[in-house]
Amino acid sequence: MSSQPSPPALLEVKDLHARFATGSGIARAVDGVSFSVAPGERFGLVGESGCGKSVSFRAVLGL
């Protein structure tokens, strides 16, 4: 039985952080998120309202 190496990830995010300056100081919106998406794989991110889902993906896209 031969083991083939897995293909490289299409997207790999390691230790993502997103912070915003507010009048009260720095708000940590995303703190240390990591994930990867392999070819042919589907990825979904779920969570409560305001938990950082949209901020995470906007940060990955550089927006």
Side-chain angles (χ1 to χ4, degrees), residues 17-41:
H17 295 266
R19 293 180 169 84
F20 298 98
T22 70
S24 304
I26 301 296
R28 296 185 314 185
V30 177
D31 200 16
V33 172
S34 298
F35 60 87
S36 65
V37 182
E41 190 174 56

Side-chain angles (χ1 to χ4, degrees), residues 2-60:
S2 68
S3 174
Q4 293 183 349
S6 59
L10 294 174
L11 173 65
E12 188 168 4
V13 175
K14 291 183 179 179
D15 201 28
L16 177 68
H17 295 266
R19 293 180 169 84
F20 298 98
T22 70
S24 304
I26 301 296
R28 296 185 314 185
V30 177
D31 200 16
V33 172
S34 298
F35 60 87
S36 65
V37 182
E41 190 174 56
R42 293 185 177 104
F43 178 82
L45 184 62
V46 297
E48 295 181 19
S49 177
C51 72
K53 300 178 300 289
S54 295
V55 171
S56 295
F57 283 99
R58 290 176 64 90
V60 168

